[in-house]
Amino acid sequence: MKEDESKNAQAAEEQSENAQSVETVETPDTQSETGGDMERPDGDTGAESEQPRDGKGCEAVTVVIIARDGKHGELIARSVTANLRGVDADIHLVTDEHLKETDAETLLAHLPHIDTERLIVMTDGMVILNPVTIYEIGCRRGELTGKGVTVGENRTPKLMHKSVLEKMLPEMIANYANFDPLLEYDGYARPQVAPVIMRPWDQDNWLLPVISKNPPLEALEKWAKTQRFAWIAPHSWTDTVVGFLEGRFPA
């Protein structure tokens, strides 16, 4: 979006304002725009499986959404249900009284509630606009800036592993204030993997940064056709943005 183009750097700074929140809520199977449900192994599309499990062409994963605003968190959860493909997934919406001082502490406290080795972590503002797999989410990415390559992204979902977080989070929380697991996970878990270098947002069909104070509906509709994800800044959750997401991901 035009105003966004001149504010990419600002978006990175504003991400630190992103919220936390924690209440484990299992989101019901909501049908996507194309009429499909989140996949279940062996053709089971029921909402009552005991816990996620691997199956043919289907991988078990838990999606943890840390959201300071419950309404926004519900919309993010709907976007996951509509667009995360090839998974048997539980969606945990973490909010309100379950929040800790930082996202890292919140995530550490929530780990005992996770039954899968794979998890995808999302924070307030992240939306999946179009169908994706966990492999796209798991790809390590970086940006070319005036200071060289900046590795780390905290505006799109992050694929992590529970066993790694059980070791990493206590270490990092004890030694680094305001540790951001989304930014630091790849460097800790797979430092030898070189990142894919991203082009400016309007040249890649990856992330739509919604950072203006009054995002126009026409621009949202235009870029939602091509971008996989959106990141909505705290001050950009206008009635227009909420209405757009409610229409795209109906309850």
Side-chain angles (χ1 to χ4, degrees), residues 129 160 185 193:
L129 286 175
M160 301 182 180
Y185 180 84
V193 177

Side-chain angles (χ1 to χ4, degrees), residues 130-152:
N130 287 296
V132 298
T133 67
I134 62 173
Y135 302 107
E136 290 164 286
I137 291 174
C139 181
R140 191 180 191 194
R141 294 180 177 268
E143 296 181 358
L144 186 60
T145 68
K147 298 179 180 179
V149 176
T150 299
V151 179

